Amino acid sequence: MQKYEKLEKVGEGTYGTVFKAKHKETKEIVALKRVRLDDEDEGVPSSALREICLLKELKHKNIVRLYDVLHSDRRLTMVFEFCDQDLKKYFDSCKGKVDSNTVKSFMFHLLQGLQFCHSHNVLHRDLKPQNLLISKSGELKLADFGLARAFGLPKERFSAEVVTLWYRPPDVLMGAKMYDTSIDMWSAGCIFAEMANGGRPLLPGSDVDDQLRRIFKLLGTPNELTWPDMKKMPEYRDFPAFSAIPLASVTPTLSSSGRELLQNLLVCAPSRRMCAEKAMQHCYFDDIDPSIRV
């Protein structure tokens, strides 16, 4: 730790404190994420180990870089590239209006990062504006992989207690234990709408029931035709038959091609949700700056 000079505390992560710091020799600004190791715990928290193992493998411009891991008896410190702000703080600075070209480039960055994760068999499982960092050069990067995990076995069972409520898909809200990359794609859709609306969350539910009700009021209550496996969900219950409302009424600033992309991400049936690779090929991105593509 002698190599780094702490400058200021910048926030609290999933399981530790984050500081802005400077490398004393190179003068490079970094982020230090500190995890306190409790005496009663058997060493390093599993979530921290998981993040370290995953990030060591995930090297991509739209995923925050892990430079180093420093370990002492009482503390584990991860050294990350430093980003000025997260997407939530960016929204606050925009005062309710995000430029449409910025929405498009941020969304493409998000999809690029996700596609890389998914192609390396990693689910993020906790996408939300606070876990997306914005670099000085305006690149969006996926961060905070504390709930991420590798997947691969097709019948693997996962916890349903993942993804912050407002960004959690209906299958997981209904207790699905077996899910795939579609979990992240739903969250990406919610974030896309939030960006288009200048930082106003699309589905700010107060609890699981309220969250499902908000989803069905927007998209229409699914049925056997639109979501054949819905009644097999562990915590399935009947909901009133709501009719879908036009997405134009909730994302008025989004172009028609943007709304079409959003519609393909916010699909209740997980198997019918668009994947990151397909989403990147959508006509909404036809006029994007070629330098944004990896």
Side-chain angles (χ1 to χ4, degrees), residues 85-109 129 132 134 138 140 190-201 251-255 284:
Q85 59 185 341
D86 61 33
L87 186 59
K88 176 79 176 68
K89 287 186 183 133
Y90 182 85
F91 288 153
D92 295 343
S93 71
C94 288
K95 296 184 172 51
K97 186 154 174 53
V98 181
D99 173 74
S100 60
N101 287 329
T102 304
V103 172
K104 190 173 290 193
S105 64
F106 280 179
M107 187 59 186
F108 198 80
H109 290 156
L132 299 172
I134 312 295
L140 180 141
C190 294
I191 292 164
F192 183 25
E194 191 165 336
M195 288 193 289
N197 288 338
R200 268 195 330 282
T251 54
T253 60
L254 207 50
S255 65
Y284 172 64

Side-chain angles (χ1 to χ4, degrees), residues 275-290:
C275 70
E277 192 170 5
K278 280 256 171 68
M280 285 160 60
Q281 294 162 7
H282 192 275
C283 63
Y284 172 64
F285 297 114
D286 281 355
D287 61 350
I288 203 161
D289 182 343

Side-chain angles (χ1 to χ4, degrees), residues 1-19:
M1 280 305 297
Q2 282 70 38
K3 290 190 288 188
Y4 298 98
E5 177 194 343
K6 268 198 299 181
L7 301 175
E8 60 183 297
K9 180 178 166 179
V10 290
E12 296 285 337
T14 304
Y15 45 78
T17 311
V18 184
F19 295 93

Side-chain angles (χ1 to χ4, degrees), residues 169-185:
D171 46 310
V172 180
L173 288 164
M174 288 189 191
K177 296 281 196 294
M178 287 156 63
Y179 46 78
D180 54 21
T181 55
S182 63
I183 186 175
D184 289 337
M185 300 315 296

Side-chain angles (χ1 to χ4, degrees), residues 32-234:
L32 303 178
K33 183 185 260 188
R34 285 194 161 174
V35 185
R36 194 173 293 284
L37 306 178
D38 296 330
D39 294 334
E40 58 273 20
D41 276 357
E42 301 258 329
V44 183
S46 61
S47 54
L49 280 177
R50 192 180 282 160
E51 178 164 35
I52 291 163
C53 294
L54 292 175
L55 282 172
K56 282 267 190 209
E57 301 304 312
L58 296 174
K59 295 193 168 105
H60 187 276
K61 71 171 189 172
N62 297 124
I63 298 170
V64 72
R65 279 299 298 275
L66 174 63
Y67 293 138
D68 201 0
V69 180
L70 312 165
H71 190 201
S72 68
D73 290 345
R74 307 294 301 279
R75 189 180 283 148
L76 181 84
T77 304
M78 291 179 269
V79 184
F80 288 98
E81 69 174 302
F82 181 78
C83 292
D84 290 297
Q85 59 185 341
D86 61 33
L87 186 59
K88 176 79 176 68
K89 287 186 183 133
Y90 182 85
F91 288 153
D92 295 343
S93 71
C94 288
K95 296 184 172 51
K97 186 154 174 53
V98 181
D99 173 74
S100 60
N101 287 329
T102 304
V103 172
K104 190 173 290 193
S105 64
F106 280 179
M107 187 59 186
F108 198 80
H109 290 156
L110 172 55
L111 292 169
Q112 261 184 168
L114 279 180
Q115 196 275 330
F116 189 80
C117 288
H118 294 168
S119 67
H120 287 75
N121 294 337
V122 171
L123 307 177
H124 187 284
R125 303 200 305 170
D126 194 21
L127 289 175
K128 57 185 174 184
Q130 293 91 327
N131 289 346
L132 299 172
L133 302 182
I134 312 295
S135 73
K136 231 184 197 82
S137 59
E139 280 181 340
L140 180 141
K141 296 170 186 274
L142 279 65
D144 209 331
F145 280 71
L147 278 176
R149 64 165 299 163
F151 68 94
L153 300 172
K155 295 293 179 196
E156 211 168 349
R157 296 179 76 77
F158 297 134
S159 163
E161 293 303 307
V162 293
V163 187
T164 304
L165 190 67
W166 298 353
Y167 309 93
R168 199 180 300 172
D171 46 310
V172 180
L173 288 164
M174 288 189 191
K177 296 281 196 294
M178 287 156 63
Y179 46 78
D180 54 21
T181 55
S182 63
I183 186 175
D184 289 337
M185 300 315 296
W186 175 275
S187 307
C190 294
I191 292 164
F192 183 25
E194 191 165 336
M195 288 193 289
N197 288 338
R200 268 195 330 282
L202 180 67
L203 298 160
S206 54
D207 55 33
V208 168
D209 262 8
D210 183 46
Q211 192 66 27
L212 282 166
R213 187 175 291 273
R214 283 170 182 266
I215 290 168
F216 298 155
K217 275 185 168 177
L218 174 64
L219 303 176
T221 307
N223 54 41
E224 296 284 304
L225 203 62
T226 58
W227 186 2
D229 295 331
M230 179 172 68
K231 291 189 176 174
K232 294 180 188 166
M233 294 294 113

